[in-house]
Structures are given as C-alpha cells and as structure tokens.
Amino acid sequence: MNKTKSTFAFVSSDADDARKATEQLSARYGQVAVADADIVVALGGDGFLLQTLRETMGSGKKVYGMNRGTVGFLMNQYREDGLAERIAAASAETIRPLEMETLTADGNTNKALAINEVALWRQSYQTAKIRISIDDKVRLEELSCDGVMVATPAGSTAYNLSAHGPILPLDAPLLALTPVSPFRPRRWRGALIPEKATVRFDILECEKRPVNVAADHTEFKSVVSVTVTQSKRQTATLLFDASHSWNERTLTEQFRY
C-alpha cells in the first residue's frame, strides 16, 4: 500500500530569491493553504523562519526551512531536487518558547512569546541597573550593563552568541542568561539556568535609567519589571535534514574559531 503523500505550503520572505524559489517549488510539488498543509516550507532567512514558527505555534504543523537569506543558521540548504524525500527523512525538534510578562512605568502589563530570546537594553546614554532573581531568590543585586537577555537553545546562536553567550544543544534543558557589555560586576559573564526556572528582572532607578525589552521582535518601552518563564503549553516543531542536524551545527559552530 502506498503511503499518503505529504502536502506542502510554501511560504517566503519578501526577498526576490525566496519568492522565486516559492514559485518553482510550488509548481513542482504542489501548493496548499497553510491551514491544510502537513508541512510548511519556509523560504528566506532565520528571521522569516522564526516568524513562520510564531504563526504556526500550537497548530501541530511541522516547519521545514530552506535558506534563501544570509546566515540561515536555523535553515536547511536550499535544493529543489528530492524535497519530499528530504522532509520524510528529516529529524524533528520540538521548541518551547519563552513567555514574557512586563510591567511598564505607566502601570500597564504586557505579555509576549519569544522563540529566540527576551532581551533588555538601556534606553538612553545612562547605564542600566538591573536586579536579577531566579525562582524568587535574588542572585544578582545590581547588574550595571548595556543590557541582559534570557536565550533559548534555538536562540543561543543569535543575539546571545554575538554577546559572547554559550551555544546550547537544542535538546539541552537549559536557558542562557547573558549580559550585554557588563560594567559591574565586570567579570560576570552570565549563567546557565534550568529551563523550568522563572527569571525576574527589576529595573533599578528606572526613571533615571529607562530600559526597553523585546521578546524576539515584540518590544515594550520603559519597563519596571520583566518576568520570563518557559511556556508549558505552546510548542513548535522544526525539521532538520538528517545529514545536518541541529546538534551537528552547534558543534561545528563552537569549533569554527
């Protein structure tokens, strides 16, 4: 008995290469609406892939990215041939986003999800001063810095890596807590914390030293406090070529320099 073929929804960024690839692949493999697809094939860069994951979060859809952008660390190599076979043999990784809740200076509470990281940074020329608590216990009374972030394994190779944070295997039960240009304590380079931990940032001298926060691309200004936890309900599934798994990529990246 023949196996039922998977149905594909090809989506692309606004880049010309991505749009052209979508047209070619749709003509060759067929195209259905995202709601009706077994597999969503995202063509573009890492940013577009994250957007696709957010849009399909909790739907049960599997997302397979092919690089039509620049770095494409989260993407598979672009090839037209053998796509159905590649996807059938791909390994699936389940990603849990971070849930962020903020309190702003005007008294509003906001919530957002982040697949990569929740990042705080100073809003003005004044250095930010931030108290960091883990599971209701103060771990750092005062961090003077340009910013600080909590990154998921999926986000550990993005902003976190550029801030000299650690690269995490995708299945590691950890989050990276990484400062950006720390001034005091000068030698603090961050921490690895359990994925189930609750991280709270309290902004000290918030009127004099205002701080913004972003959950991936969702930004809020002049926050007083930020709480970050891993989502227990929301998940996304990302597919990687069996010959070039996420763990292989993270190992390669760590020995590149």
Side-chain angles (χ1 to χ4, degrees), residues 103-180:
L103 176 64
T104 56
D106 57 11
N108 290 326
T109 299
N110 304 284
K111 295 182 179 181
L113 294 176
I115 294 173
N116 262 6
E117 76 278 317
V118 172
L120 295 80
W121 65 94
R122 63 185 175 123
Q123 189 182 123
S124 70
Y125 68 92
Q126 293 275 19
T127 300
K129 291 188 176 182
I130 302 171
R131 179 188 300 121
I132 302 176
S133 302
I134 309 292
D135 292 333
D136 296 323
K137 182 175 182 178
V138 175
R139 293 293 182 177
L140 196 53
E141 189 63 47
E142 183 178 299
L143 171 66
S144 296
C145 59
D146 281 352
V148 64
M149 76 188 79
V150 180
T152 66
S156 68
T157 56
Y159 187 20
N160 173 75
L161 181 59
S162 69
H164 308 291
I167 297 175
L168 302 177
L170 205 57
D171 56 357
L174 298 168
L175 301 173
L177 178 60
T178 303
V180 180

Side-chain angles (χ1 to χ4, degrees), residues 19-221:
R19 288 185 172 183
K20 181 178 179 181
T22 297
E23 293 175 1
Q24 294 172 336
L25 292 169
S26 298
R28 183 165 181 175
Y29 296 100
Q31 170 79 307
V32 300
V34 171
D36 300 324
D38 299 313
I39 309 294
V40 178
V41 180
L43 297 143
D46 286 340
F48 181 72
L49 179 63
L50 291 173
Q51 175 186 325
T52 304
L53 287 172
R54 283 192 292 272
E55 292 173 352
T56 58
M57 186 81 65
S59 68
K61 305 291 182 186
K62 296 179 180 179
V63 179
Y64 181 86
M66 284 203 290
N67 190 21
R68 292 283 83 187
T70 51
V71 177
F73 194 87
L74 294 171
M75 312 297 279
N76 298 293
Q77 183 180 5
Y78 177 77
R79 293 199 310 271
E80 285 188 42
D81 295 336
L83 179 61
E85 292 75 16
R86 289 173 68 189
I87 290 177
S91 58
E93 297 285 356
T94 299
I95 294 175
R96 290 188 178 275
L98 300 174
E99 293 182 351
M100 177 189 75
E101 182 171 332
T102 73
L103 176 64
T104 56
D106 57 11
N108 290 326
T109 299
N110 304 284
K111 295 182 179 181
L113 294 176
I115 294 173
N116 262 6
E117 76 278 317
V118 172
L120 295 80
W121 65 94
R122 63 185 175 123
Q123 189 182 123
S124 70
Y125 68 92
Q126 293 275 19
T127 300
K129 291 188 176 182
I130 302 171
R131 179 188 300 121
I132 302 176
S133 302
I134 309 292
D135 292 333
D136 296 323
K137 182 175 182 178
V138 175
R139 293 293 182 177
L140 196 53
E141 189 63 47
E142 183 178 299
L143 171 66
S144 296
C145 59
D146 281 352
V148 64
M149 76 188 79
V150 180
T152 66
S156 68
T157 56
Y159 187 20
N160 173 75
L161 181 59
S162 69
H164 308 291
I167 297 175
L168 302 177
L170 205 57
D171 56 357
L174 298 168
L175 301 173
L177 178 60
T178 303
V180 180
S181 301
F183 181 67
R184 289 287 188 276
R186 190 179 298 276
R187 296 186 183 279
W188 189 67
R189 290 294 180 262
L192 293 175
I193 59 177
E195 63 180 1
K196 296 181 180 179
T198 297
V199 185
R200 179 182 171 96
F201 302 102
D202 288 291
I203 313 308
L204 308 177
E205 303 178 32
C206 57
E207 292 184 1
K208 179 182 179 181
R209 304 170 185 274
V211 168
N212 294 349
V213 66
D216 288 347
H217 302 297
T218 304
E219 182 180 353
F220 301 101
K221 297 182 181 298

